[in-house]
Amino acid sequence: MASAFGVRLRRLREAKKLTLQQVADAVGCTKAYIWELEMKDGQRPSAERIQAIAKVLGVTMEDVMGTPMEQAPDASPEDVAFFREYAGMTEEEKKNYQDVLKMMFSRKEKDED
Protein backbone atom coordinates (compact mmCIF):
# COMPACT_ATOMS: atom_id res chain seq x y z
CA MET A 1 0.00 0.00 0.00
CA ALA A 2 1.30 3.44 -0.92
CA SER A 3 2.22 5.92 1.78
CA ALA A 4 1.12 9.56 1.72
CA PHE A 5 4.62 10.32 0.42
CA GLY A 6 4.18 7.81 -2.42
CA VAL A 7 0.77 9.14 -3.39
CA ARG A 8 2.11 12.70 -3.41
CA LEU A 9 5.16 11.70 -5.46
CA ARG A 10 2.99 9.94 -8.04
CA ARG A 11 0.59 12.90 -8.30
CA LEU A 12 3.47 15.31 -8.83
CA ARG A 13 5.08 13.03 -11.43
CA GLU A 14 1.82 12.54 -13.32
CA ALA A 15 1.08 16.29 -13.18
CA LYS A 16 4.36 16.80 -15.07
CA LYS A 17 3.36 14.00 -17.48
CA LEU A 18 6.56 12.09 -16.73
CA THR A 19 6.91 8.32 -16.76
CA LEU A 20 8.59 6.30 -14.04
CA GLN A 21 11.48 5.70 -16.45
CA GLN A 22 11.90 9.40 -17.26
CA VAL A 23 12.13 10.31 -13.57
CA ALA A 24 14.48 7.40 -12.88
CA ASP A 25 16.78 8.37 -15.76
CA ALA A 26 16.89 12.01 -14.65
CA VAL A 27 17.54 11.10 -11.01
CA GLY A 28 20.05 8.33 -11.76
CA CYS A 29 18.23 5.34 -10.33
CA THR A 30 16.07 2.49 -11.57
CA LYS A 31 12.45 2.60 -12.66
CA ALA A 32 11.76 -0.05 -9.99
CA TYR A 33 13.13 2.26 -7.28
CA ILE A 34 10.79 5.11 -8.26
CA TRP A 35 7.90 2.63 -8.43
CA GLU A 36 8.75 1.41 -4.91
CA LEU A 37 8.82 4.99 -3.63
CA GLU A 38 5.36 5.54 -5.07
CA MET A 39 3.77 2.21 -4.22
CA LYS A 40 5.39 0.73 -1.09
CA ASP A 41 4.96 2.04 2.41
CA GLY A 42 8.02 2.66 4.56
CA GLN A 43 10.41 3.87 1.86
CA ARG A 44 13.14 6.18 3.16
CA PRO A 45 14.95 7.94 0.33
CA SER A 46 18.00 10.04 1.14
CA ALA A 47 17.82 13.83 1.22
CA GLU A 48 19.98 13.90 -1.92
CA ARG A 49 17.54 11.62 -3.74
CA ILE A 50 14.54 13.71 -2.65
CA GLN A 51 16.32 16.86 -3.80
CA ALA A 52 17.03 15.29 -7.20
CA ILE A 53 13.42 14.14 -7.56
CA ALA A 54 12.12 17.57 -6.59
CA LYS A 55 14.36 19.21 -9.19
CA VAL A 56 13.08 16.87 -11.93
CA LEU A 57 9.47 17.55 -10.93
CA GLY A 58 10.03 21.31 -10.73
CA VAL A 59 8.98 21.55 -7.08
CA THR A 60 10.70 21.97 -3.72
CA MET A 61 11.78 19.23 -1.34
CA GLU A 62 9.02 20.43 0.97
CA ASP A 63 6.48 19.82 -1.80
CA VAL A 64 7.71 16.25 -2.27
CA MET A 65 7.84 15.56 1.46
CA GLY A 66 4.45 17.13 2.09
CA THR A 67 5.44 19.88 4.46
CA PRO A 68 2.31 22.04 4.47
CA MET A 69 2.41 25.77 4.00
CA GLU A 70 1.65 27.37 7.35
CA GLN A 71 -1.03 29.62 5.86
CA ALA A 72 -2.73 26.79 3.93
CA PRO A 73 -2.25 23.46 5.74
CA ASP A 74 -4.89 21.72 3.58
CA ALA A 75 -3.30 22.73 0.26
CA SER A 76 -2.57 19.89 -2.16
CA PRO A 77 0.98 19.43 -3.47
CA GLU A 78 -0.16 20.88 -6.79
CA ASP A 79 -1.57 23.96 -5.04
CA VAL A 80 1.66 24.50 -3.11
CA ALA A 81 3.78 24.12 -6.25
CA PHE A 82 1.54 26.57 -8.13
CA PHE A 83 1.70 29.18 -5.37
CA ARG A 84 5.46 28.85 -5.06
CA GLU A 85 5.76 29.41 -8.83
CA TYR A 86 3.35 32.35 -8.63
CA ALA A 87 5.32 33.89 -5.75
CA GLY A 88 8.44 33.87 -7.93
CA MET A 89 6.83 35.79 -10.78
CA THR A 90 7.38 39.43 -11.59
CA GLU A 91 4.57 41.84 -10.78
CA GLU A 92 3.74 42.07 -14.49
CA GLU A 93 3.47 38.27 -14.78
CA LYS A 94 1.24 38.15 -11.70
CA LYS A 95 -1.02 40.83 -13.17
CA ASN A 96 -1.28 38.86 -16.43
CA TYR A 97 -2.29 35.73 -14.51
CA GLN A 98 -4.88 37.69 -12.54
CA ASP A 99 -6.31 39.25 -15.70
CA VAL A 100 -6.65 35.86 -17.42
CA LEU A 101 -8.34 34.35 -14.36
CA LYS A 102 -10.77 37.25 -14.16
CA MET A 103 -11.65 36.78 -17.83
CA MET A 104 -12.14 33.04 -17.41
CA PHE A 105 -14.34 33.26 -14.36
CA SER A 106 -16.37 36.26 -15.49
CA ARG A 107 -17.24 34.31 -18.68
CA LYS A 108 -18.25 31.30 -16.65
CA GLU A 109 -20.57 33.40 -14.50
CA LYS A 110 -22.09 35.00 -17.63
CA ASP A 111 -22.60 31.57 -19.22
CA GLU A 112 -24.43 30.34 -16.12
CA ASP A 113 -26.87 33.28 -16.16
Side-chain angles (χ1 to χ4, degrees):
M1 178 172 194
S3 64
F5 167 78
V7 170
R8 194 170 32 261
L9 177 57
R10 184 174 182 178
R11 285 175 57 196
L12 289 167
R13 177 181 61 79
E14 289 176 345
K16 283 286 191 179
K17 298 185 180 358
L18 295 173
T19 65
L20 290 167
Q21 190 64 58
Q22 288 170 318
V23 173
D25 290 346
V27 171
C29 64
T30 66
K31 176 181 171 181
Y33 178 75
I34 301 298
W35 181 87
E36 287 179 3
L37 289 177
E38 290 185 3
M39 302 306 288
K40 290 188 175 182
D41 196 14
Q43 300 299 307
R44 305 185 93 183
S46 68
E48 292 81 15
R49 189 68 57 148
I50 293 170
Q51 184 176 24
I53 290 169
K55 184 177 179 182
V56 169
L57 298 177
V59 297
T60 67
M61 289 177 66
E62 291 82 9
D63 297 331
V64 175
M65 294 305 298
T67 306
M69 292 174 35
E70 289 181 24
Q71 297 85 2
D74 296 329
S76 72
E78 294 86 356
D79 293 337
V80 173
F82 172 81
F83 288 120
R84 286 189 199 282
E85 182 179 331
Y86 179 82
M89 292 179 181
T90 66
E91 290 305 312
E92 182 179 349
E93 291 169 327
K94 287 179 182 180
K95 183 177 180 332
N96 290 340
Y97 256 82
Q98 292 166 4
D99 291 346
V100 168
L101 289 172
K102 285 177 189 173
M103 283 182 6
M104 286 173 48
F105 289 106
S106 67
R107 263 194 214 142
K108 184 178 176 182
E109 290 171 3
K110 289 177 185 176
D111 291 343
E112 290 175 356
D113 291 337

